[in-house]
Amino acid sequence: VFAGLITDMLADAPYRLEISRNGYDWQQEDPYRFGSSLPEKPLLRFKQGQAWRAWELFGAHPHSFGDIAGYRFAVWAPHARRVSVVGLFNNWDGRAHVMRKRHEAGIWEIFIPGLVAGEIYKFEIIGADGTLLPLKADPYAFHAENRPNTASRLAPAPATQTGDAAWMEARGGANRHDAPVSVYEIHAGSWRTVPEEGNRPLTYSEMGDWLIPYLTDLGFTHVQFMPLSEHPFDGSWGYQTLGMFAATARFGTPDELRALVVRLHQAGIGVLCDFVPAHFPTDAHGLDRFDGTALYEHEDPRLGFHPDWKTNIYNYQRPEVVNFLIASALYWLERFGIDGLRVDAVSSMLYLDYSRQPGEWVPNVFGGNVNLEAVSFMQRMNEMAYGDNPGIMMVAEESTAWPGVSRSSHDGGLGFGFKWNLGWMHDTLSYMQRDPIHRSWHHGDITFGLAYAFSENFMLALSHDEVVHGKGSLWAKMAGADDWQKFANLRAYYSLMWAHPGKKLLFMGGEFGQRTEWNHNTSLDWHVLDDPAHRGVRDLVRDLNRLYRTLPALHRKDCDASGFQWLQANASAESVFAWARHADGEGPVVAVFNMTPMARDGYKVGVPHGGRWKVVLNTDAAAYGGSNVAVSEFHEADAGPHDGLEHSVMLTLPPLAGLYLVPG
């Protein structure tokens, strides 16, 4: 302990320390001569769980006292005996910059003069029992070292987006329930690599150069990034995140990610990102027992430990933890200009007995299995997200029959805008994997989804989850003894998906029928586009997106039962499906699918009205790699009553193919 008496000076007068150690002399500012820079009211709101932009309080921020510049640090560690900021600037010595605990909520702070952006740091924490904990990364850090290193890195918080004002003003129209929403899901680390440089992934800047023209050409309206928040393990694909406020350093800086989002917006492409508030990894440098206690997680492993992923579960009963998670959601929406968040693993948050056997979980206060606090958290998160960021979309990955996932929280729902339709995905993929000779016995795998298609605002998702862990690629899932049948089935499946009610999502590689299962360590198999069959799938997806965007009947009532009309739901013997899509004041679209490898001549299908009908899509066309069975472009609705309608057309149905017809 060093003490020096300063006389004849005001208590807040400036001074510097002159230090001698091991033969070296230097001068430095004394961090302890500077007072607090944290306002009291926001800290009180944080204790109550209502400091919704907590990133403005916590973490490391550039700050100045007069002409003395440095960084201000603040961290929540209520049970710690001591907290210090350590880094190269103080030789990782926890005695040098001990923080001051100045608030009853357990918040520690310090201003360290002279620090500049780019410095790395961590928190050294001594628990209440005197145990020195592993060095901790900053939960509110805006940037971090690239893995395998784990320190936080000083960086100013990204500014609010300004370069894409026109998009931000108009994006509500692109995210509406009646808008065409076709999402391309991407894992940034493996979409495309640079072979000349050891197959490294693209940077945020390079992604813009490659991704934007690609998405524009194929007509996707949105891109969805798998988690871009900082995470220690590549094999988690970002879903075991620790940097809830830090864009991963794998691909560049936070500002470079902001610039990518602006470029996408300027190209008319919406940007979604995965958000993971369901669990966090147990890495020692992370949130695990952050101040020596179960601070962010539950003490009881029946509540606080996930048996499937071997990760910790956030404690939604703590206002400060809920505040942390909601602030993170708002941060990505506001500081990066993200247009929406796809919230991962919602089911695991909803149910206390999720993946647990009897005796392995703790009932709620009413004796049930619903995690009431998690429900409240999601409702509040969605209220804040939509309330403060007009025009966004919040999307739930939820796999159960929980009612009202996409209903307003004011009406008792969870408040999401859309829900992934995982039941549709499971049933239809099961159907497509069956040999066509058996499909007549499983007709309901296609029709059943229409029984509940409007119970939620659904998004049809063929996501990364369907092409990993030995499941094979979408192409590999398709039935067929040869390549021709597999490609034909895939094309027919895509046409069925794009005509089916619900927004669309396709994981990267699916758009050109990649044959191999996705591997996060390698690039997509772009070389297969030398094969006309793969190019045909890509060209089909381009045309499907074009028709989906330009034909209002295919998108305007995706979430409204009045926009769907069965024409043939019971043709199981023929494995044929036919329906019509409608939009008020617009022409209908009739979609017909033959899911057998046998062409059908003279096949009658009812149509909504008389007159001429034009085939605007035929997945069997030679341009897509099909067999080019002769299909007339125009058909007169003069074949008489059929399917309960006054008019019908006589069609040739190509094998394993889908047809779209419009009034022509």
Side-chain angles (χ1 to χ4, degrees):
V1 177
F2 298 85
L5 179 64
I6 300 176
T7 60
D8 301 326
M9 296 180 68
L10 296 174
D12 60 352
Y15 63 88
R16 290 171 66 83
L17 301 177
E18 185 174 296
I19 301 173
S20 298
R21 179 182 294 168
N22 298 329
Y24 294 94
D25 300 334
W26 70 92
Q27 291 188 358
Q28 70 179 46
E29 297 288 345
D30 179 6
Y32 300 103
R33 81 171 176 87
F34 302 97
S36 172
S37 62
L38 291 178
E40 187 75 13
K41 287 185 178 179
L43 297 184
L44 288 171
R45 287 199 294 269
F46 174 74
K47 184 180 179 181
Q48 298 164 352
Q50 295 180 353
W52 303 120
R53 286 157 186 83
W55 73 84
E56 296 176 349
L57 300 172
F58 296 103
H61 292 262
H63 194 76
S64 296
F65 282 94
D67 59 352
I68 306 300
Y71 267 77
R72 181 201 77 199
F73 297 83
V75 66
W76 178 54
H79 306 105
R81 180 181 295 184
R82 191 191 83 185
V83 183
S84 305
V85 182
V86 295
L88 292 172
F89 52 86
N90 62 13
N91 202 30
W92 302 95
D93 187 343
R95 300 169 298 176
H97 293 101
V98 178
M99 304 177 80
R100 290 177 287 202
K101 187 177 182 180
R102 56 164 293 268
H103 195 274
E104 62 179 358
I107 295 164
W108 301 73
E109 68 159 332
I110 192 172
F111 170 73
I112 303 180
L115 294 185
V116 296
E119 291 265 15
I120 60 173
Y121 70 99
K122 283 187 175 181
F123 294 118
E124 181 184 279
I125 301 177
I126 295 178
D129 61 357
T131 301
L132 179 64
L133 303 176
L135 295 181
K136 295 289 188 178
D138 184 353
Y140 286 88
F142 302 126
H143 199 27
E145 286 188 293
N146 200 359
R147 51 55 174 132
N149 297 323
T150 58
S152 302
R153 191 179 293 278
L154 294 180
T160 303
Q161 290 280 42
T162 57
D164 48 0
W167 168 268
M168 300 298 279
E169 182 70 22
R171 69 177 176 181
N175 293 338
R176 288 167 52 102
H177 296 152
D178 59 359
V181 175
S182 180
V183 184
Y184 185 71
E185 186 190 20
I186 177 176
H187 177 259
S190 61
W191 181 68
R192 185 182 288 273
T193 60
V194 183
E196 300 82 6
E197 299 179 30
N199 283 315
R200 67 164 177 82
L202 300 178
T203 65
Y204 292 124
S205 299
E206 291 168 334
M207 282 181 218
D209 297 338
W210 286 93
L211 184 61
I212 291 172
Y214 188 72
L215 294 176
T216 302
D217 175 55
L218 291 186
F220 285 97
T221 63
H222 294 69
V223 60
Q224 177 179 307
F225 290 97
M226 292 165 70
L228 293 176
S229 45
E230 194 57 80
H231 54 283
F233 176 46
D234 286 9
S236 77
W237 314 326
Y239 292 102
Q240 293 192 15
T241 183
L242 285 177
M244 294 294 282
F245 295 84
T248 178
R250 289 165 172 80
F251 317 120
T253 68
D255 282 339
E256 289 168 341
L257 173 57
R258 287 180 66 250
L260 172 60
V261 173
V262 169
R263 292 178 65 187
L264 285 160
H265 285 168
Q266 291 173 342
I269 299 167
V271 182
L272 311 178
C273 193
D274 273 351
F275 182 62
V276 190
H279 62 118
F280 61 92
T282 60
D283 296 59
H285 72 281
L287 301 179
D288 185 66
R289 303 194 70 84
F290 186 77
D291 65 354
T293 68
L295 188 62
Y296 286 86
E297 69 272 37
H298 290 270
E299 186 71 49
D300 189 336
R302 295 175 299 171
L303 293 168
F305 188 75
H306 200 291
D308 285 350
W309 304 316
K310 313 304 179 192
T311 52
N312 290 326
I313 299 171
Y314 285 105
N315 185 348
Y316 309 107
Q317 297 174 7
R318 280 188 183 269
E320 300 93 339
V321 174
V322 170
N323 203 148
F324 171 78
L325 294 172
I326 293 179
S328 175
L330 295 177
Y331 174 78
W332 287 89
L333 293 170
E334 296 176 6
R335 292 305 175 97
F336 289 103
I338 301 295
D339 300 296
L341 301 175
R342 176 267 195 186
V343 181
D344 181 62
V346 169
S347 300
S348 75
M349 291 188 276
L350 289 175
Y351 300 99
L352 293 165
D353 59 346
Y354 185 89
S355 270
R356 298 181 189 273
Q357 300 300 316
E360 297 178 350
W361 59 283
V362 180
N364 62 31
V365 293
F366 302 109
N369 69 337
V370 173
N371 190 331
L372 301 173
E373 291 79 15
V375 170
S376 178
F377 152 66
M378 283 185 275
Q379 291 174 327
R380 189 61 172 146
M381 173 186 66
N382 287 321
E383 290 167 1
M384 291 297 300
Y386 278 109
D388 290 0
N389 298 275
I392 64 159
M393 70 165 73
M394 299 290 285
V395 184
E397 183 212 17
E398 205 285 308
S399 57
T400 73
W402 183 280
V405 172
S406 57
R407 189 167 67 237
S408 166
S409 60
H410 301 293
D411 296 326
L414 293 182
F416 288 95
F418 295 98
K419 170 182 171 175
W420 275 15
N421 193 337
L422 299 178
W424 171 89
M425 174 276 300
H426 178 272
D427 290 347
T428 57
L429 280 179
S430 175
Y431 181 89
M432 297 307 298
Q433 291 178 78
R434 298 185 186 280
D435 189 295
I437 198 172
H438 302 301
R439 285 178 176 171
S440 62
W441 303 102
H442 300 276
H443 204 68
D445 286 346
I446 301 296
T447 61
F448 178 65
L450 275 307
Y452 61 86
F454 307 102
S455 61
E456 299 274 4
N457 301 323
F458 279 123
M459 181 176 289
L460 310 182
L462 296 177
S463 75
H464 65 277
D465 280 328
E466 311 320 313
V467 293
V468 292
H469 301 318
K471 297 177 184 176
S473 66
L474 292 178
W475 179 89
K477 293 178 191 293
M478 297 297 110
D482 54 34
D483 280 7
W484 186 91
Q485 288 199 17
K486 283 185 172 294
F487 278 109
N489 271 304
L490 186 62
R491 294 192 303 268
Y493 184 44
Y494 285 166
S495 69
L496 184 144
M497 174 181 176
W498 258 257
H500 194 287
K503 307 310 178 187
K504 325 301 177 191
L505 180 142
L506 185 63
F507 183 58
M508 63 183 200
E511 78 278 12
F512 57 77
Q514 176 160 308
R515 296 178 183 233
T516 58
E517 183 176 282
W518 172 55
N519 182 347
H520 71 274
N521 287 317
T522 62
S523 172
L524 293 182
D525 296 338
W526 295 102
H527 62 275
V528 302
L529 285 170
D530 294 336
D531 183 338
H534 289 280
R535 291 200 304 273
V537 174
R538 180 202 60 191
D539 294 346
L540 172 66
V541 169
R542 180 193 293 118
D543 286 347
L544 287 170
N545 278 330
R546 175 181 55 81
L547 293 169
Y548 179 59
R549 293 194 321 273
T550 58
L551 297 176
L554 287 180
H555 64 256
R556 192 168 293 172
K557 292 194 173 185
D558 268 334
C559 306
D560 184 341
S562 68
F564 180 85
Q565 178 186 17
W566 269 117
L567 301 176
Q568 293 188 12
N570 300 313
S572 57
E574 297 83 8
S575 294
V576 169
F577 306 89
W579 59 68
R581 298 290 306 277
H582 297 273
D584 294 341
E586 303 287 348
V589 175
V590 168
V592 186
F593 311 96
N594 175 19
M595 291 303 187
T596 70
M598 178 180 65
R600 299 184 182 278
D601 290 322
Y603 193 90
K604 186 181 290 190
V605 176
V607 291
H609 59 71
R612 173 178 283 192
W613 288 79
K614 179 181 180 181
V615 175
V616 292
L617 182 82
N618 173 11
T619 67
D620 186 55
Y624 304 135
S627 59
N628 216 31
V629 167
V631 174
S632 300
E633 182 180 6
F634 293 99
H635 298 268
E636 294 292 337
D638 56 7
H642 199 67
D643 297 329
L645 300 173
E646 294 183 7
H647 303 280
S648 64
V649 293
M650 197 72 73
L651 302 173
T652 295
L653 302 186
L656 297 173
L659 301 177
Y660 292 1
L661 293 88
V662 300

